[in-house]
Amino acid sequence: MKILVTFAEVAAVADNFEIEDGAVADRYLEYDLNEWDEYALEAAVSLREEGIAEEVVTVTIGPERSADTIRMALAKGADRAIRIWGDDLEGDPLEDVSTRAALMAPVVEAEAPTLVLSGVQAADDGYGSTGVSLARTLGWQWGAVVNDFTLDREADSVRVRRELEGGIEELTTLSLPAVLTIQTGINDPRYASLRGLQEAQKQEIDVQTPAELGVGADRLEPRLERGELTEPPSRGDTEYVEGDPPEQATAIAEQLIESGVVQE
Amino acid sequence: MSDVLAVVEHRRGELRDVSLELIEAGADLAAELDGELHVAVIGGNVEAIADRLNRDGVDVIHTIADGAEFNHDVYVQAVRALYETLEPAVVLAPHTVNALDYVPAVAVDLDLPLVTDVIDVEVTEAGLRTTRGLYESKIEATVTVTERPCVVTLRPGEWARAGGVSSVPVEAFEFEIEESAVDSHVEGFEEAGAGDVDVTAADFLIGVGRGIGEEANLSVIEDLAEVTDATIAASRPLVDNGWFDTSRQVGQSGKTVSPDVYLAVGISGAVQHVAGIKGANTIIAVNTDPHAPIFDIADQAIVGDLFEVIPELTDQLR
């Protein structure tokens, strides 16, 4: 069987950044693999190593810059990578999760995997909806926020453990093919080896445009518009402790004593 | 098309608090749209749950009795059928694990734009303007939905819980469920293990986060805990790393705590973690990142290096 992993390149802002003209300048952004997708990739690669899967393919929607991140996924064990991009994806179209699903669905149909694994959410925008939207677009079954799963090829099903709030887990069986969104902690993602990174540099990344995937310009018309970015308003009553570490420690000590949790 | 449909959440017979927040937000939005607020409860003991939804601002409660517990296939069909009958302008759901499991599918089926994890929403001339967190809530962005109708999920804890008791009509909504399209089967629930410690009982909790760096560095925290007789809790990444038992995990998927003091060390304050500590009387946060969202909810904020501040604190209290 084949497993397809949807992979997002995500941005993190540096500790000290500024918002200029309603946006974060690129110099304050650092791009990396999405943490949740790393767990999804690890699950897929492990299944291949166990002989349960034959091939692991990744699909990423992202500009040329994201090739670096994709090569990291290849270095961690993916066999092939597909990158979707076109000039018509600049700006707002990707704010709408249904657009992302519409772009990935033809890739999934062409690759025909048994299982699609996707991170629960992307660390930067946190919509948390790509995997389920993709499943529904394909007409497949799905499980969201999965922290364990077991394939049953004879029954053509997958048993999933879903992590609900408050330490409760739900046990569900889904028919295959299916899309699972993977929660962190399901495994222990590996580091990319130097040799793996070197080999990944030589690998071809299959780049496909929306038009090549049969997604027309009308489908990319934005229904959501992102406005200016702002820093969250301060709650106002937070007391910032100035001074050097000993002075800061003294302030904490006083607070602990005043609260009664530590005796003087 | 100006009504709001809010789909509430319940588990094991209990209405979840976020449902009352949904009603509060939905009532405001319905008023802005000059429409009605329709509230739906799907599955379980719908009559008993409907009683608790009888709040100010609700115009109609719809009960759909299919299924004992949450099943995403049933929810998708039920919400789709309700939508097609009511034709609301906005469908609201809480941004919860179960919503993540069915709401995107509803949006796909109905070809509606979807905005999730929203912390504010208002009606503007350009459309429905939502506010969301970006980059782990260090930044906020507005996202305007230029098409109505649309689907929106709301972040738990951002709205007050609707109060009051009114006399709202409860209507049983019946539709022909397509059994062949129910392809997922919920087989049961399990509680995460009891673990080695009860963090919910502690008066003084030291919460440790990713800023601690390596497992060996935990000795800095253990020293302070020993001197102060505090209990150590952890954010999710440290539990994922296997450094702590899940019983010490604080946050949305872990424990909700309410100590006298919560000292957050090297914790950025991801929304999932913050959800678990809002009940603390006093929150003290130590973090090198001045934009860490934990500072937005802290009473006392120390922008500093935990490896300098915490050993100093231990020495002072020793």
Side-chain angles (χ1 to χ4, degrees):
Chain A
M1 67 179 248
K2 186 191 288 186
I3 302 178
L4 190 136
V5 180
T6 72
F7 226 104
E9 180 197 55
V10 293
V13 288
D15 280 359
N16 291 298
F17 66 90
E18 287 177 30
I19 293 176
E20 299 164 356
D21 299 325
V24 180
D26 216 35
R27 65 180 180 281
Y28 298 120
L29 295 175
E30 294 159 11
Y31 295 92
D32 204 349
L33 297 176
N34 179 39
E35 184 182 358
W36 281 264
D37 298 341
E38 286 200 65
Y39 287 87
L41 177 66
E42 180 63 36
V45 172
S46 297
L47 284 169
R48 193 198 53 210
E49 288 171 346
E50 290 165 25
I52 296 167
E54 284 91 43
E55 191 181 26
V56 175
V57 182
T58 66
V59 59
T60 304
I61 303 172
E64 198 169 350
R65 180 197 62 227
S66 61
D68 289 344
T69 307
I70 293 168
R71 289 192 196 286
M72 185 67 80
L74 289 167
K76 284 171 180 259
D79 296 295
R80 286 192 288 123
I82 297 162
R83 179 169 72 86
I84 301 169
W85 195 247
D87 293 342
D88 42 6
L89 296 179
E90 296 277 2
D92 285 328
L94 296 175
E95 193 75 30
D96 190 334
V97 68
S98 74
T99 305
R100 302 184 215 188
L103 289 164
M104 287 181 174
V107 173
V108 178
E109 280 164 349
E111 292 287 337
T114 304
L115 198 60
V116 174
L117 302 181
S118 176
V120 165
Q121 63 178 22
D124 50 5
D125 66 23
Y127 271 99
S129 310
T130 302
V132 175
S133 299
L134 175 60
R136 197 63 178 177
T137 303
L138 292 163
W140 288 16
Q141 256 304 329
W142 70 88
V145 194
V146 170
N147 63 1
D148 193 22
F149 69 91
T150 311
L151 289 162
D152 183 343
R153 295 310 311 278
E154 278 184 23
D156 235 8
S157 67
V158 57
R159 293 195 78 211
V160 304
R161 188 177 283 266
R162 297 182 57 233
E163 183 188 89
L164 307 181
E165 296 87 351
I168 308 284
E169 296 182 340
E170 180 197 282
L171 308 168
T172 303
T173 299
L174 310 166
S175 56
L176 291 170
V179 180
L180 306 182
T181 76
I182 301 297
Q183 177 62 295
T184 62
I186 191 172
N187 51 39
D188 189 8
R190 70 195 66 193
Y191 290 99
S193 67
L194 190 60
R195 188 175 162 202
L197 284 166
Q198 285 168 341
E199 285 179 2
Q201 289 301 322
K202 298 175 206 155
Q203 279 182 264
E204 284 280 313
I205 296 173
D206 178 7
V207 182
Q208 302 193 27
T209 65
E212 285 167 345
L213 293 167
V215 180
D218 55 331
R219 183 65 192 75
L220 302 177
E221 206 59 45
R223 299 185 294 183
L224 304 177
E225 290 175 0
R226 188 183 283 190
E228 292 196 337
L229 307 187
T230 52
E231 291 198 47
S234 171
R235 198 182 58 156
D237 52 0
T238 302
E239 177 206 346
Y240 279 83
V241 179
E242 305 296 336
D244 56 18
E247 289 168 323
Q248 292 176 320
T250 302
I252 300 175
E254 286 171 356
Q255 179 68 57
L256 295 177
I257 291 162
E258 189 184 316
S259 301
V261 295
V262 169
Q263 305 304 312
E264 200 163 358
Chain B
M1 191 174 275
S2 54
D3 296 342
V4 174
L5 169 63
V7 184
V8 301
E9 184 161 319
H10 58 93
R11 188 186 298 156
R12 294 170 157 181
E14 294 293 321
L15 184 71
R16 302 197 65 223
D17 287 341
V18 68
S19 300
L20 300 180
E21 298 169 18
L22 198 70
I23 289 174
E24 178 80 9
D28 286 348
L29 195 55
E32 280 190 63
L33 290 164
D34 203 17
E36 293 186 336
L37 174 61
H38 293 251
V39 175
V41 52
I42 303 166
N45 187 351
V46 291
E47 298 300 327
I49 294 167
D51 278 348
R52 292 205 54 203
L53 300 173
N54 202 347
R55 306 277 167 149
D56 290 343
V58 179
D59 292 288
V60 187
I61 298 166
H62 303 274
T63 58
I64 301 175
D66 295 275
E69 279 286 354
F70 176 80
N71 175 300
H72 66 219
D73 291 315
V74 173
Y75 264 60
V76 170
Q77 289 192 43
V79 175
R80 205 171 57 200
L82 261 175
Y83 175 86
E84 283 162 356
T85 302
L86 301 173
E87 297 187 338
V90 184
V91 179
L92 289 182
H95 190 71
T96 58
V97 171
N98 278 349
L100 286 173
D101 196 41
Y102 83 92
V103 170
V106 169
V108 167
D109 279 11
L110 297 171
D111 193 21
L112 300 180
L114 166 68
V115 194
T116 64
D117 201 16
V118 162
I119 57 175
D120 195 19
V121 58
E122 62 178 322
V123 179
T124 69
E125 275 185 22
L128 195 73
R129 186 164 68 191
T130 65
T131 305
R132 325 178 55 251
L134 286 182
Y135 308 116
E136 297 172 328
S137 295
K138 287 186 186 177
I139 292 176
E140 288 180 358
T142 59
V143 173
T144 300
V145 194
T146 55
E147 283 186 12
R148 210 186 287 160
C150 60
V151 184
V152 174
T153 69
L154 304 180
R155 179 181 290 181
E158 294 294 323
W159 278 267
R161 293 173 198 165
V165 177
S166 69
S167 183
V168 180
V170 177
E171 297 178 2
F173 180 81
E174 289 181 9
F175 75 106
E176 193 75 26
I177 193 156
E178 193 185 338
E179 293 292 346
S180 63
V182 178
D183 210 10
S184 64
H185 302 280
V186 179
E187 289 160 358
F189 297 90
E190 281 182 11
E191 303 238 12
D196 60 348
V197 72
D198 183 6
V199 293
T200 63
D203 293 332
F204 178 24
L205 262 182
I206 306 176
V208 198
R210 227 192 272 252
I212 197 71
E214 295 176 18
E215 189 173 13
N217 296 338
L218 288 171
S219 60
V220 172
I221 306 299
E222 287 159 357
D223 289 348
L224 176 62
E226 192 180 337
V227 167
T228 57
D229 201 22
T231 302
I232 300 177
S235 67
R236 180 178 192 109
L238 276 59
V239 176
D240 285 347
N241 285 348
W243 300 352
F244 288 100
D245 186 83
T246 51
S247 61
R248 289 188 191 252
Q249 184 180 325
V250 168
Q252 202 171 62
S253 50
K255 297 280 170 38
T256 299
V257 296
S258 49
D260 290 336
V261 176
Y262 187 83
L263 175 59
V265 182
I267 286 177
S268 65
V271 58
Q272 293 88 349
H273 188 78
V274 167
I277 63 171
K278 280 186 172 168
N281 273 348
T282 302
I283 297 172
I284 308 171
V286 182
N287 202 302
T288 50
D289 176 3
H291 297 283
I294 191 78
F295 290 137
D296 296 336
I297 63 152
D299 298 281
Q300 196 172 40
I302 286 88
V303 181
D305 183 346
L306 76 91
F307 296 108
E308 295 179 357
V309 176
I310 299 301
E312 179 66 34
L313 176 62
T314 306
D315 283 347
Q316 290 187 19
L317 292 172
R318 202 183 294 275

